Amino acid sequence: MEKKKPIKRHIALQPLSRQHHFGLLFSWKIRKGFQNNIEIGRMQEYAKWFYKHEITPHFHDEEKYVFPILDKENELIERALKEHRRIKRLFNDTKDPEKSLSKLEEELDAHIRFEERILFNEIQKFATEAQLAKIEEIHSDLKKSPDYHDPFWE
């Protein structure tokens, strides 16, 4: 079996890739919550916290500084924006939180893998040094979010 080479991420995009890692951890934590029959309300509170502290600023930065590197009609950008809208709706859906959280953990995981494996590679191909420098400048003082107070996944 052939081993995949690790993706060489430009230094300017590395902070966003680290945030993607936290998104994958979010999905894993929600899956663990379901496996351990954790009360939906506890997982929903975590999702609200994660949306506010991680997803909202991350999506903002991608949409404002990273996605414009490619044409807005680029099919990869259109897909990413469509997935952002869907993920936001799932985070904010309170009608059926169990169903929303279940879909959310799957869709966020798939979305992050798409951005890391396909979209960011394409962006790296076309970004100018000035664009990458701007992204790096914006993320140079990126602070880690505080730890969540209820580690239900443990």
Side-chain angles (χ1 to χ4, degrees):
M1 187 161 99
E2 190 179 320
K3 245 187 166 180
K4 285 187 179 182
K5 289 182 182 176
I7 296 168
K8 182 75 173 143
R9 185 66 61 228
H10 189 282
I11 194 166
L13 296 172
Q14 288 176 5
L16 291 166
S17 286
R18 273 191 291 284
Q19 289 175 335
H20 282 163
H21 172 73
F22 294 124
L24 293 173
L25 279 175
F26 168 86
S27 291
W28 176 84
K29 291 170 182 179
I30 295 298
R31 276 193 300 278
K32 287 296 275 183
F34 279 119
Q35 288 169 2
N36 295 333
N37 295 313
I38 299 298
E39 178 195 348
I40 294 299
R42 286 175 70 189
M43 293 192 291
Q44 194 176 22
E45 284 303 309
Y46 175 59
K48 286 180 195 172
W49 178 90
F50 193 83
Y51 181 75
K52 177 182 176 186
H53 289 92
E54 297 286 341
I55 294 296
T56 299
H58 178 81
F59 281 8
H60 172 268
D61 288 351
E62 283 184 334
E63 292 172 13
K64 184 170 182 178
Y65 303 108
V66 180
F67 293 177
I69 291 170
L70 299 177
D71 187 83
K72 69 180 177 184
E73 273 112 41
N74 178 294
E75 66 185 41
L76 299 176
I77 297 301
E78 287 178 349
R79 175 180 169 182
L81 290 170
K82 180 180 170 188
E83 290 177 5
H84 278 197
R85 287 189 301 272
R86 173 83 175 131
I87 289 165
K88 287 176 192 177
R89 279 195 305 273
L90 287 170
F91 267 107
N92 290 302
D93 183 8
T94 56
K95 290 180 196 138
D96 187 350
E98 185 170 351
K99 184 177 175 184
S100 295
L101 285 170
S102 180
K103 285 184 177 181
L104 180 59
E105 69 86 4
E106 291 175 6
E107 291 189 29
L108 183 61
D109 190 285
H111 171 72
I112 290 168
R113 293 183 192 287
F114 157 70
E115 285 192 349
E116 282 295 319
R117 294 174 181 163
I118 299 169
L119 181 59
F120 276 24
N121 289 338
E122 193 72 6
I123 285 169
Q124 282 182 178
K125 280 188 217 171
F126 293 98
T128 66
E129 283 305 313
Q131 289 169 320
L132 291 168
K134 181 67 175 170
I135 293 167
E136 190 172 1
E137 174 191 323
I138 290 158
H139 292 103
S140 64
D141 63 346
L142 204 61
K143 293 174 179 59
K144 182 185 177 298
S145 293
D147 289 334
Y148 186 67
H149 70 276
D150 177 14
F152 61 83
W153 52 88
E154 292 179 346

